[in-house]
Amino acid sequence: MFNTPVLFLLFNRPDTTEQVFEVIRQVKPVKLFIAADGPRKEREGDTELCRQTRELVMKSIDWDCEVKILFRAENLGCGKAVSEAITWFFEQVDEGIILEDDTLPNLSFFNYCSELLKIYRNNETIMTISGNTFHSFSHIKASKHSYYFSSFPFIWGWATWKRSWMKYQLDIVKISLASEREKWINNAFHDIEIRKFWIDLYQRASYLNEDFTWDYQWFLTIWKNSGKTILPQRNLVVNIGWGANATHTKEENHHLSKLKSYKIKMASDLPQSINLQSELEWKNFSNFYLPYNPIFFKRILRKINYLKRKYL
């Protein structure tokens, strides 16, 4: 039995959900939280897929555990559905692990998160623990330890504390000034290329409604609070949701769809200081986000043009 609470986020993909939940089932968390967004009325077949996905998970719980569910009747969208589910989770627990229906972890991911949640429980400088890293893809070694520190909060399987998440604001991009965002980003990164990328992205994102996503707001929340992320030396989670049905990872043959996961053994010798590896991490991070973000930017520009036509 596994004592760290787990939140499982699902929607309408029974195939990937089944694979991820099978790993959770092997771990047998004592406290299991399940949240699901509602079907989209305009999308044919969504209602049935959502029903199948929820039923698949509920009938697969075959161990003794406390189960809490948050099943939405209506579709809230990626931004609200995910962020409100995480808030619901941390209204009931002080720390925990978050997995989405397309993030497939290996078993060592769970002990890695659980151990680090305990070690850094009272260190408010550390705001989140990521289960994935792109170092394993490019064979760049970031640290002699089993994990290292960065300003990049990857979210393909992650963990955090209530103390961190309660700083989250879904509307942070809307309510913050461009000068404020620039200051937070400049404080997080030394490299001009990294700064320019994020400043530009958030300027474009400021034109969108908050429900377009939830994770860019989480990144900005961490940088606003000068927070740091723990990343594993070797990748522990793979994204199995690539394809046309995905919300963001639509390129089925993207090179990161081939990313492998590796077992990790926590080192007994912990890093003695929190030395950031953000500049090193940027090379791998940009391999994913830069090829993808032209698509993201096109979506933003379409939204901007729509709003201009509607309100100006």
Side-chain angles (χ1 to χ4, degrees):
M1 302 294 280
F2 183 70
N3 290 321
T4 303
V6 174
L7 169 64
F8 188 36
L9 301 165
L10 39 128
F11 181 37
N12 68 348
R13 291 187 283 184
D15 53 344
T16 62
T17 298
E18 183 175 21
Q19 294 179 64
V20 178
F21 195 69
E22 176 55 31
V23 182
I24 295 174
R25 184 170 163 269
Q26 292 179 53
V27 174
K28 296 181 172 54
V30 173
K31 291 186 177 182
L32 177 63
F33 294 73
I34 306 168
D37 198 7
R40 296 162 293 187
K41 293 179 180 178
E42 72 280 4
R43 188 64 64 92
E44 185 178 354
D46 237 22
T47 299
E48 177 59 20
L49 285 172
C50 287
R51 185 196 67 77
Q52 289 178 14
T53 304
R54 296 176 185 190
E55 185 178 286
L56 181 154
V57 170
M58 297 307 295
K59 74 178 184 182
S60 299
I61 303 172
D62 58 0
W63 69 95
D64 185 20
C65 63
E66 178 185 352
V67 181
K68 295 191 178 182
I69 60 172
L70 179 64
F71 288 170
R72 302 290 190 181
E74 297 182 355
N75 185 266
L76 299 183
C78 182
K80 287 185 179 178
V82 174
S83 62
E84 289 184 8
I86 299 172
T87 298
W88 165 75
F89 181 50
F90 284 115
E91 285 172 347
Q92 301 172 78
V93 301
D94 291 326
E95 58 192 31
I97 293 168
I98 299 99
L99 283 165
E100 295 185 65
D101 59 5
D102 58 0
T103 53
L104 182 65
N106 62 47
L107 290 174
S108 66
F109 161 81
F110 293 91
N111 286 332
Y112 157 84
C113 288
S114 181
E115 189 170 338
L116 291 176
L117 282 170
K118 293 174 185 175
I119 292 171
Y120 294 99
R121 185 175 289 158
N122 299 314
N123 187 337
E124 297 199 9
T125 301
I126 308 301
M127 287 186 65
T128 186
I129 301 161
S130 296
N132 75 292
T133 181
F134 300 141
H135 282 309
S136 300
F137 184 83
S138 63
H139 309 294
I140 295 175
K141 189 173 179 63
S143 168
K144 64 180 181 180
H145 302 284
S146 55
Y147 63 92
Y148 62 102
F149 303 96
S150 174
S151 291
F152 286 106
F154 296 151
I155 53 162
W156 289 0
W158 55 291
T160 191
W161 301 266
K162 179 177 182 177
R163 61 166 172 79
S164 298
W165 183 257
M166 287 322 202
K167 295 180 172 70
Y168 179 86
Q169 295 172 285
L170 182 61
D171 61 354
I172 190 172
V173 180
K174 286 282 187 185
I175 65 174
S176 60
L177 299 174
S179 59
E180 291 178 315
R181 298 193 299 270
E182 185 171 340
K183 177 179 140 185
W184 302 335
I185 292 166
N186 287 342
N187 286 340
F189 304 105
H190 299 296
D191 190 278
I192 294 175
E193 181 186 0
I194 303 177
R195 290 174 172 179
K196 185 177 183 303
F197 172 81
W198 285 110
I199 290 168
D200 183 44
L201 185 146
Y202 282 110
Q203 183 57 34
R204 293 170 184 263
S206 66
Y207 291 96
L208 292 179
N209 295 327
E210 289 83 4
D211 61 356
F212 79 102
T213 190
W214 66 273
D215 52 351
Y216 287 123
Q217 295 95 317
W218 178 226
F219 299 173
L220 200 58
T221 299
I222 291 173
W223 299 335
K224 175 185 176 181
N225 291 279
S226 301
K228 305 297 181 286
T229 300
I230 293 175
L231 296 178
Q233 176 61 48
R234 307 195 80 190
N235 186 53
L236 309 178
V237 185
V238 294
N239 191 306
I240 57 172
W242 298 85
N245 293 327
T247 302
H248 298 298
T249 52
K250 292 184 178 294
E251 289 186 55
E252 193 167 350
N253 293 319
H254 195 286
H255 63 281
L256 286 181
S257 68
K258 311 297 190 298
L259 190 67
K260 295 180 180 180
S261 71
Y262 303 86
K263 292 181 180 179
I264 190 171
K265 185 176 181 181
M266 293 298 293
S268 57
D269 56 327
L270 303 178
Q272 296 302 306
S273 61
I274 301 176
N275 295 316
L276 291 180
Q277 300 285 342
S278 301
E279 317 298 328
L280 178 63
E281 183 65 28
W282 170 251
K283 180 176 180 181
N284 290 328
F285 182 82
S286 60
N287 280 342
F288 171 60
Y289 278 91
L290 290 184
Y292 168 69
N293 262 302
I295 300 172
F296 179 76
F297 287 156
K298 285 178 184 177
R299 289 174 57 208
I300 292 177
L301 290 173
R302 283 199 298 269
K303 283 274 190 179
I304 293 170
N305 291 332
Y306 167 75
L307 293 172
K308 283 180 178 178
R309 290 194 302 271
K310 187 173 181 180
Y311 295 111
L312 297 181

